[in-house]
Amino acid sequence: DVKVTQSSRYLVKRTGEKVFLECVQDMDHENMFWYRQDPGLGLRLIYFSYDVKMKEKGDIPEGYSVSREKKERFSLILESASTNQTSMYLCASTSGGDRSSYNEQFFGPGTRLTVL
Amino acid sequence: KQEVTQIPAALSVPEGENLVLNCSFTDSAIYNLQWFRQDPGKGLTSLLLIQSSQREQTSGRLNASLDKSSGRSTLYIAASQPGDSATYLCAALGTYKYIFGTGTRLKVLA
């Protein structure tokens, strides 16, 4: 059974802290994504990666960075957490070398982050 | 810029009813369209993927269709059950990335 796991289901951090969210997939997928989901705004893409050490900005990259040192792991980093980064963070992965061959996107269970 | 719309935002039906959820997209140049289910506080579960060259996909009681020329996809749920209650989202893969609709919240009443 395909699996995308995220390091925490719930996380509470203080303003200014550096926060690491980790995502691991066991499907040997090339492409991995980080989204945030907020009521009324839907899912918004933060960053994505189509290969190891490769990354591209999504719609809302400000305040975030990412790291992909190994194919199976994609980390989202909040350099200095702020209250407006309180949200549900979702990681996803899909196979396919280019968009015409992308297959199903699989999601992790999500991390509910609260920044106080 | 691609926009994906799902109407209605919420739907309540009695158990056993067949229903259709709608997804519209403004740019027909998509590679695929995927339907998901999301339970409260959880991640998204993939239901069906339709590649751009396909017209429909079926899985059990679910059938999804794609009409790129009209910018529409529908998810048909047959013989709905209370366990089908969830939010259903569609996502269109364009030249840049996936664009998600804001979902239809479905409640199936026993």
Side-chain angles (χ1 to χ4, degrees):
Chain A
D1 206 15
V2 297
K3 255 310 176 31
V4 180
T5 57
Q6 294 183 229
S7 49
S8 306
R9 289 285 284 122
Y10 300 94
L11 209 52
V12 180
K13 295 292 181 180
R14 297 211 173 271
T15 301
E17 279 192 78
K18 192 169 186 175
V19 181
F20 293 86
L21 303 182
E22 295 218 313
C23 174
V24 177
Q25 50 94 3
D26 66 359
M27 298 164 280
D28 201 35
H29 283 172
E30 293 88 346
N31 312 293
M32 297 186 75
F33 308 82
W34 274 107
Y35 297 92
R36 64 178 282 178
Q37 185 178 31
D38 301 287
L41 297 176
L43 273 85
R44 293 179 290 168
L45 181 65
I46 305 171
Y47 267 97
F48 65 102
S49 168
Y50 52 88
D51 201 353
V52 175
K53 296 193 186 295
M54 305 301 289
K55 61 186 179 185
E56 287 199 26
K57 293 179 180 179
D59 295 318
I60 50 165
E62 298 79 17
Y64 303 94
S65 63
V66 289
S67 172
R68 193 163 179 207
E69 296 296 318
K70 293 185 177 182
K71 191 175 184 180
E72 67 270 18
R73 189 180 297 267
F74 192 34
S75 301
L76 179 69
I77 303 153
L78 286 66
E79 298 291 342
S80 177
S82 63
T83 55
N84 63 12
Q85 292 179 309
T86 291
S87 186
M88 171 71 114
Y89 289 87
L90 293 161
C91 174
S93 72
T94 185
S95 64
D98 60 73
R99 285 175 184 81
S100 64
S101 61
Y102 275 17
N103 290 308
E104 278 182 279
Q105 196 176 184
F106 291 95
F107 278 80
T111 295
R112 171 74 63 184
L113 173 67
T114 301
V115 182
L116 301 175
Chain B
K1 181 186 170 188
Q2 176 75 278
E3 291 183 8
V4 178
T5 305
Q6 292 185 249
I7 294 173
L11 184 62
S12 193
V13 300
E15 182 177 6
E17 194 160 298
N18 302 326
L19 57 103
V20 174
L21 305 181
N22 297 297
C23 173
S24 300
F25 46 95
T26 53
D27 184 351
S28 62
I30 63 171
Y31 290 103
N32 65 45
L33 189 135
Q34 194 169 356
W35 282 92
F36 297 89
R37 168 193 172 127
Q38 187 176 30
D39 294 291
K42 303 284 179 64
L44 279 66
T45 300
S46 175
L47 296 174
L48 289 165
L49 170 73
I50 313 176
Q51 298 288 0
S52 62
S53 58
Q54 297 173 324
R55 295 287 300 213
E56 65 179 288
Q57 283 287 328
T58 298
S59 175
R61 295 184 293 109
L62 305 179
N63 175 275
S65 68
L66 176 64
D67 184 346
K68 284 177 57 179
S69 61
S70 66
R72 290 189 60 197
S73 177
T74 60
L75 179 67
Y76 174 82
I77 302 176
S80 58
Q81 303 170 355
D84 295 330
S85 298
T87 297
Y88 291 81
L89 297 105
C90 63
L93 177 61
T95 54
Y96 172 45
K97 59 187 177 180
Y98 292 95
I99 303 293
F100 285 80
T102 50
T104 294
R105 193 169 60 254
L106 173 66
K107 188 166 187 178
V108 181
L109 305 168

